[in-house]
Amino acid sequence: MVPADQRAPASPPKRQVAPWNDERVRSLAFQSLTLALVVGLLAYLALNAADNLSRQGIATGFGFLGREASFAITTALIPYSPADTYARALLVGLLNTLLVAGLGLVLATLLGLALGLARLSANWLLGRLALVYVEIMRNTPLVLQLFLWWDLLRLSTPPPREAWKPLPGVYISLRGVFFPVPVYDPLYLWMGAALALGVAAAALLGVWGRRRQARTGRALRLGLPGLALILLPPAIVFFAGGAPHLLDVPHPTRFDFSGGRSITPEFAALLAGLVAYTAAFIGEILRGSILSVRSGQSEAAAALGLTRGQALRLIVLPQAIRVAIPPLTSEYLNLAKNSSLAVAIGFPELFSVTNTVANQTGQAIEAMAIVCATYLAISLSISLLMNLYNRSMAPVER
Amino acid sequence: MIELRRVNKWFGGRQVLKDVSLTVARGERVVVCGPSGAGKSTMIRCINRLEEHQQGEIFVDGIELTGDVKQIEAIRREVGMVFQHFNLFPHLTVLDNLTLAPIWVRRMPRREAEDLAMLYLERVRIPEQAGKYPSQLSGGEQQRVAIARALCMKPQIMLFDEPTSALDPEMIKEVLDVMVELAQSGMTMICVTHEMGFAREVADLMVFMDQGEVIETAPPDRFFTAPRNERTRLFLGRILRQ
Ligand SMILES: Nc1ncnc2c1ncn2[C@@H]1O[C@H](COP(=O)(O)OP(=O)(O)OP(=O)(O)O)[C@@H](O)[C@H]1O
Ligand SMILES: [Mg+2]
């Protein structure tokens, strides 16, 4: 304890400062001024635009969203027809964006990790191959790569009439991959419930296994039993419910296929392009962050008898990931935003759909405002999630 | 326990170990000294294969060190190492630093590993720091944690590479005290250090290295009073004067 007479006064003595010299007052003033200028400029532009549009007889506002879209969309995760509204068309586009971005994030991260590890591996050839890949991907424009993927997919597949049939009911052609899907049956809901139950049971099994390991030291191989716990309940429900197996099978028409579900070449090209491109950057980020973990760490792990795999998993990666998170976040944001390049190859994600909407209605400003707001929301969500993840494993410093 | 027979090692074109031979019996304490760049670190890092030797033979506990990964892992389980810069795992608490290897390498139950860890933390006199992270400890405390971490694997042999040379003077003693206790408990030790007081107190054998060669090996009383080699004499003269 500090003796009472040596304690510092409760607050530092205040000195009088003229308000125009006070740092806080100054910065507040400058910020207000900047804000006022920006708002004023925007208001002026908006008024001007509204004026121009009304002179051309184009409506303003978001009323158009409720009108009939009357254009078709090739890939829709929810039921959609041209008779639906513009709002629904935009929703279809948004879902496509989310699908491509979500799948892209996961796949690009996995491929990126593989690339990063390949570049660090002692295998010379593997390292060189990864290096060449990374350099090619990073140094050519993404739009170009998307076109290449698209051409590649279309040139390497036959026309619909000569479609490959690797499995009964599956057709691969330049129209994409068509495959059968089960026709909806209420039993599927119950199967879903049974699956959830199975997952919960498997999770419990996992917890039990870890407790047991803590008690006895023996790690049990719970992979197979866990898998059985997950898969068996839905299977039982399926067979108990009479095994409904009505399939919606695609069948060839003159130039195309109808029925079933399909993966279009546009979707495949976009996903492949985004993943291949982003993975190159992610690979470099992960490589750099692994290198940033001091060599003493893996030496200490090795000296304790840990295998190389254990050292990587338990010691190096957890430390590397902290370094990697900020640049990784910005790569994820890039991927989400780059998905809008789909407009070049005609995959109907949010931006392509919005483009069509804007052309049809003439209300480009409103349409683009919607897209901007949506991308902003997606980006902020990614940032938020990554920040939460970052906080959950924040390094402990003094 | 440990035997090096005419070990040679090169880094690129530079030879850093020249025909190094050394035999350490069970329970023996060897202190290695020599000028910077002599190859002291390289030699003891060869013993647990953090470095690979290119010629000669190294036997640890009867097992020859070859490229066989399983044998390397087996040897590393029996050989503990303490580094100059501690190399604690910064993302794990002190307790987790200690239990990691027993759990993952020895497959020990967590509870048992934690009891063991607390035992060794008490032996290095910092049981109250178990829940902290390495960066929250002083250098001396960190090095004592590192010693405890190595001991948790119940090694037969302990290697020390200048364990006190990154420490402030007032922390050196607390680490050396722990090492003296360890030596008195009968641990086989090879210790690279310039703490000659420590060497006098515990060493059974002194080894002087220079330019990749073992120049002189002798029991400490003769080593300090009547070194045979001119280079040893010069070196001792330099560091004992400080
Ligand atoms: N990874 C490496 N690559 C190339 N040269 C190395 C490497 N490690 C060590 N050396 C060289 O080998 C020689 C012996 O190094 P070593 O670290 O064994 O010396 P030391 O006796 O431990 O010295 P110090 O007292 O400074 O720790 C030095 O000349 C050093 O430059
Ligand atoms: Mg050294």
Side-chain angles (χ1 to χ4, degrees):
Chain A
M1 265 327 284
V2 187
D5 52 354
Q6 284 180 21
R7 257 182 229 151
S11 61
K14 284 203 179 89
R15 253 197 13 202
Q16 280 303 314
V17 188
W20 54 89
N21 280 335
D22 186 325
E23 206 174 338
R24 266 172 308 174
V25 172
R26 272 190 174 195
S27 100
L28 198 67
F30 279 120
Q31 289 185 42
S32 319
L33 196 65
T34 315
L35 188 69
L37 277 176
V38 170
V39 169
L41 189 68
L42 285 180
Y44 172 75
L45 288 175
L47 283 176
N48 242 356
D51 198 36
N52 283 342
L53 288 173
S54 69
R55 224 176 291 147
Q56 289 171 32
I58 297 176
T60 50
F62 292 95
F64 71 95
L65 284 175
R67 293 211 305 273
E68 185 184 307
S70 61
F71 65 90
I73 299 180
T74 50
T75 306
L77 292 173
I78 51 171
Y80 170 83
S81 78
D84 283 319
T85 59
Y86 280 121
R88 192 164 180 91
L90 289 174
L91 182 62
V92 168
L94 172 62
L95 290 177
N96 282 341
T97 293
L98 292 179
L99 176 70
V100 115
L103 276 176
L105 288 188
V106 175
L107 295 177
T109 307
L110 293 178
L111 181 60
L113 183 60
L115 281 170
L117 292 178
R119 284 213 53 193
L120 291 170
S121 87
N123 184 325
W124 186 86
L125 186 67
L126 197 63
R128 283 293 129 150
L129 283 177
L131 174 69
V132 170
Y133 175 91
V134 165
E135 289 308 329
I136 291 178
M137 286 296 159
R138 288 202 307 179
N139 293 307
T140 53
L142 177 55
V143 191
L144 197 80
Q145 293 182 26
L146 289 181
F147 276 121
L148 275 175
W149 281 104
W150 192 48
D151 286 337
L152 194 76
L153 287 176
R154 293 174 60 89
L155 289 178
S156 59
T157 46
R161 296 188 144 190
E162 297 152 33
W164 299 327
K165 286 169 234 160
L167 289 169
V170 178
Y171 298 91
I172 301 177
S173 73
L174 51 75
R175 298 256 180 247
V177 181
F178 283 78
F179 53 92
V181 284
V183 177
Y184 177 76
D185 188 294
L187 190 68
Y188 293 155
L189 274 183
W190 290 106
M191 282 175 67
L195 182 72
L197 214 67
V199 170
L204 280 180
L205 181 73
V207 171
W208 176 79
R210 218 165 309 133
R211 289 247 175 88
R212 210 184 123 89
Q213 197 279 338
R215 244 190 357 264
T216 66
R218 239 170 315 147
L220 300 171
R221 300 200 172 273
L222 293 176
L224 271 182
L227 202 66
L229 265 185
I230 293 175
L231 293 183
L232 272 181
I236 292 170
V237 170
F238 177 71
F239 288 109
H245 55 269
L246 224 57
L247 284 181
D248 177 8
V249 184
H251 48 87
T253 59
R254 252 176 102 85
F255 300 109
D256 204 348
F257 299 87
S258 70
R261 280 259 170 178
S262 68
I263 298 168
T264 62
E266 291 78 22
F267 176 78
L270 179 64
L271 186 62
L274 285 175
V275 167
Y277 178 78
T278 314
F281 291 88
I282 292 182
E284 286 301 280
I285 289 171
L286 292 180
R287 183 178 75 98
S289 55
I290 286 174
L291 283 178
S292 78
V293 179
R294 292 198 303 133
S295 62
Q297 292 289 308
S298 22
E299 282 177 4
L304 285 167
L306 271 73
T307 63
R308 284 176 59 120
Q310 285 175 333
L312 187 70
R313 195 158 42 90
L314 300 168
I315 303 302
V316 177
L317 280 183
Q319 294 181 58
I321 230 41
R322 284 176 190 159
V323 182
I325 284 175
L328 213 50
T329 306
S330 85
E331 242 6 272
Y332 286 170
L333 296 180
N334 278 342
L335 186 142
K337 288 180 291 180
N338 283 342
S339 69
S340 62
L341 288 175
V343 76
I345 55 173
F347 176 71
E349 46 64 69
L350 181 61
F351 185 61
S352 309
V353 173
T354 310
N355 226 12
T356 313
V357 172
N359 283 338
Q360 287 194 7
T361 60
Q363 293 186 269
I365 293 177
E366 289 88 341
M368 291 309 149
I370 293 176
V371 193
C372 286
T374 313
Y375 277 114
L376 196 65
I378 295 174
S379 297
L380 288 177
S381 315
I382 293 177
S383 296
L384 185 72
L385 286 178
M386 292 297 277
N387 278 341
L388 287 178
Y389 181 61
N390 199 8
R391 187 143 345 135
S392 79
M393 47 194 308
V396 177
E397 300 294 348
R398 268 169 211 270
Chain B
M1 198 80 195
I2 303 174
E3 190 174 358
L4 281 72
R5 283 190 207 149
R6 306 182 66 107
V7 171
N8 284 285
K9 173 161 183 66
W10 289 261
F11 277 120
R14 250 190 88 208
Q15 187 163 12
V16 292
L17 293 182
K18 294 174 194 156
D19 277 339
V20 170
S21 296
L22 181 70
T23 311
V24 182
R26 185 179 293 274
E28 210 172 10
R29 276 123 3 206
V30 176
V31 168
V32 181
C33 60
S36 179
K40 309 178 295 290
S41 300
T42 310
M43 182 190 71
I44 70 165
R45 287 159 60 87
C46 280
I47 294 173
N48 64 354
R49 258 285 163 138
L50 290 183
E51 303 286 357
E52 194 181 327
H53 62 286
Q54 279 122 16
Q55 262 179 26
E57 288 137 34
I58 301 180
F59 294 90
V60 179
D61 208 10
I63 309 173
E64 184 176 3
L65 265 176
T66 56
D68 184 340
V69 181
K70 287 283 156 235
Q71 291 205 343
I72 294 173
E73 279 163 16
I75 287 174
R76 283 174 178 167
R77 281 197 290 272
E78 303 308 322
V79 179
M81 187 162 203
V82 175
F83 301 85
Q84 180 175 6
H85 296 288
F86 331 136
N87 294 353
L88 293 177
F89 306 130
H91 61 302
L92 300 177
T93 61
V94 165
L95 192 64
D96 289 338
N97 264 277
L98 267 62
T99 56
L100 183 89
I103 288 175
W104 288 93
V105 181
R106 292 243 189 265
R107 303 280 165 198
M108 192 182 281
R110 174 173 292 278
R111 191 121 353 118
E112 203 182 303
E114 282 175 357
D115 291 345
L116 185 72
M118 289 313 295
L119 191 80
Y120 281 113
L121 279 181
E122 253 148 56
R123 255 178 81 179
V124 301
R125 294 188 276 278
I126 34 174
E128 71 283 358
Q129 311 283 27
K132 288 197 183 166
Y133 284 87
S135 58
Q136 296 167 314
L137 305 183
S138 75
E141 290 169 330
Q142 290 191 45
Q143 192 61 298
R144 284 185 282 158
V145 170
I147 294 174
R149 177 176 70 177
L151 291 177
C152 276
M153 283 295 284
K154 303 223 168 123
Q156 311 270 335
I157 300 165
M158 285 286 284
L159 307 175
F160 292 84
D161 189 0
E162 305 205 30
T164 55
S165 59
L167 296 177
D168 293 337
E170 73 269 23
M171 294 172 186
I172 290 178
K173 186 173 176 304
E174 62 189 49
V175 172
L176 288 181
D177 285 348
V178 166
M179 290 170 61
V180 169
E181 256 171 51
L182 191 63
Q184 283 162 353
S185 76
M187 175 69 76
T188 312
M189 290 165 67
I190 300 185
C191 190
V192 176
T193 184
H194 292 153
E195 293 297 331
M196 289 305 152
F198 168 80
R200 276 208 184 90
E201 190 173 347
V202 307
D204 299 309
L205 192 70
M206 295 296 301
V207 174
F208 174 69
M209 288 182 74
D210 192 12
Q211 298 181 357
E213 284 176 289
V214 173
I215 304 291
E216 183 158 2
T217 52
D221 44 356
R222 206 190 73 209
F223 183 82
F224 288 112
T225 51
R228 296 207 170 128
N229 192 290
E230 183 57 27
R231 276 195 264 175
T232 317
R233 221 168 294 152
L234 275 173
F235 175 76
L236 282 177
R238 238 181 307 131
I239 63 164
L240 290 179
R241 199 168 326 121
Q242 287 169 358

